Amino acid sequence: MSYKIQAVAQKFDWRQIWGALLIMTGAVGFASKAIIAKLMYRYEVDTSSLLSLRMLFAMPFFVGVIIYNYRRVPFSSFSTKDKILIPLMAFIGYYLSSLFDFWGLQYVSAGLERLILFVYPTIVVVLSALWFKKPILKQHYYALVLTYAGIAIALTTDFSATGSYFWAGAGLIFLAAFTYSIYLIVSGRLIPRIGSVVYISYIMLFATVPILIQYFIKNPGSLWRFDAAVYELNIWMAIVATVAPAVMTSEGIRLIGAANAAIVGSIGPIATIFLAHVLLGEPFSFWQMIGTLFVLTGVLIITLRKQEAKTPAANEENSESTTMDI
């Protein structure tokens, strides 16, 4: 019997299975962010307060990472250029992107929000072609057509069920994807020198500064004036939708590689749509499903094609695009 069990175990690559489970769980964790934000908006929480609470509850983890790694990677050891770029990327990639994202979430469904955000690899391809003269391959053109056709279908089918600020919300979320794409392109050249976990920890801490400044300018009152449910939801967002999935996804990529992680991680938009339907009562039509499939197919074509690149910077950029969330 023991020989049979051993033979069955040898047929499975448990490292691959464990890595895939980590990626899948991390993707579902990231997917829950929009759902939690929607639930908090029901308590009349403004965007500035929501962002501030999210960053404050997540901060202890990132401070701990920096303290633990400070002797090995002190901020003083970074070049002058890196010391400028890190706060700048924090401002663009996490302050602006998060701000646009949470603003937009007030006007569109959680499922559509995740779908629009998911197009950022296509934006990275276009920006890389404009900035670095990287050629857009034939497969990329097919992928771009598929992706934006899918977005058009999703926008059209979602429009009838939303309010007058629908297009403003969709535009804000696209801006979130656009600023996040800029962040990814620049970060892909910083992370190999700094390390992904230390880098994101500095990014999150620097991003907290403008978020808190905006809060105290706009809302000089206390952050602790809301119902207890708001803080429970924010703790959930900080742990389950921010810190834990970032750790799980990073470890999953280490185990199964970025290309496989991109495939498994594509469950994210589907998970958001499912959770939004179950927990928020958001409708999901046949045409929205078709639009979602178009977007997932287009993004996977671009992501997997890019991950065939041989340059370390490109590989790091692709790996990181799978691990991060706005």
Side-chain angles (χ1 to χ4, degrees):
M1 179 65 74
S2 61
Y3 291 112
K4 289 182 179 179
I5 294 173
Q6 225 174 19
V8 171
Q10 286 174 353
K11 290 181 180 179
F12 294 96
D13 188 340
W14 295 106
R15 177 188 173 95
Q16 293 286 315
I17 293 172
W18 177 239
L21 285 173
L22 286 172
I23 295 292
M24 189 178 298
T25 307
V28 173
F30 280 140
S32 68
K33 183 262 300 178
I35 312 300
I36 299 169
K38 282 284 193 182
L39 290 172
M40 277 192 281
Y41 280 137
R42 293 179 177 179
Y43 293 91
E44 298 183 356
V45 179
D46 60 283
T47 301
S48 295
S49 299
L50 192 158
L51 279 173
S52 299
L53 288 170
R54 181 197 188 195
M55 300 301 275
L56 287 174
F57 283 126
M59 187 184 295
F61 169 80
F62 298 112
V63 170
V65 168
I66 289 173
I67 292 173
Y68 180 78
N69 290 279
Y70 195 76
R71 286 189 178 181
R72 185 175 61 86
V73 194
F75 191 75
S76 58
S77 67
F78 300 157
S79 67
T80 302
K81 183 180 179 181
D82 289 350
K83 289 177 181 177
I84 295 171
L85 284 176
I86 291 173
L88 182 60
M89 288 305 101
F91 183 83
I92 293 173
Y94 270 83
Y95 169 64
L96 287 182
S97 292
S98 297
L99 190 63
F100 293 145
D101 183 35
F102 282 108
W103 271 350
L105 259 174
Q106 296 178 83
Y107 309 116
V108 302
S109 66
L112 182 61
E113 177 261 2
R114 178 55 47 178
L115 205 58
I116 296 174
L117 282 182
F118 199 64
V119 306
Y120 65 80
T122 68
I123 302 173
V124 169
V125 166
V126 174
L127 290 180
S128 296
L130 293 173
W131 289 353
F132 306 113
K133 308 302 180 186
K134 290 185 178 180
I136 299 180
L137 305 177
K138 184 168 68 173
Q139 299 96 314
H140 289 165
Y141 286 112
Y142 296 148
L144 289 169
V145 170
L146 267 177
T147 301
Y148 289 97
I151 290 293
I153 293 170
L155 286 171
T156 304
T157 56
D158 201 54
F159 178 67
S160 60
T162 52
S164 57
Y165 292 101
F166 170 79
W167 291 109
L172 284 167
I173 293 167
F174 186 81
L175 278 176
F178 182 82
T179 50
Y180 189 60
S181 300
I182 295 172
Y183 161 81
L184 286 177
I185 291 172
V186 177
S187 296
R189 286 151 180 79
L190 293 173
I191 288 168
R193 300 198 297 272
I194 298 170
S196 60
V197 177
V198 173
Y199 177 76
I200 187 58
S201 298
Y202 277 114
I203 287 289
M204 294 297 275
L205 289 183
F206 276 114
T208 302
V209 175
I211 287 172
L212 292 179
I213 289 173
Q214 176 186 324
Y215 171 79
F216 286 113
I217 290 174
K218 189 175 180 181
N219 304 296
S222 172
L223 261 176
W224 315 108
R225 67 187 187 276
F226 301 108
D227 292 343
V230 171
Y231 304 106
E232 292 170 5
L233 287 168
N234 233 303
I235 291 171
W236 185 267
M237 180 183 283
I239 297 172
V240 176
T242 305
V243 173
V247 174
M248 286 188 288
T249 309
S250 296
E251 177 63 11
I253 286 175
R254 186 184 70 82
L255 292 172
I256 67 174
N260 290 329
I263 296 172
V264 178
S266 64
I267 194 176
I270 298 170
T272 301
I273 291 166
F274 174 77
L275 291 172
H277 179 69
V278 173
L279 299 177
L280 302 176
E282 292 184 359
F284 185 61
S285 68
F286 169 78
W287 285 109
Q288 285 174 312
M289 180 177 67
I290 295 299
T292 300
L293 290 174
F294 274 29
V295 172
L296 292 178
T297 303
V299 169
L300 281 175
I301 289 172
I302 282 181
T303 304
L304 296 178
R305 181 64 185 84
K306 283 174 64 185
Q307 286 169 352
E308 294 173 6
K310 299 301 183 182
T311 62
N315 290 334
E316 190 65 40
E317 175 187 318
N318 293 322
S319 299
E320 206 58 29
S321 69
T322 314
T323 64
M324 301 287 195
D325 184 63
I326 298 171

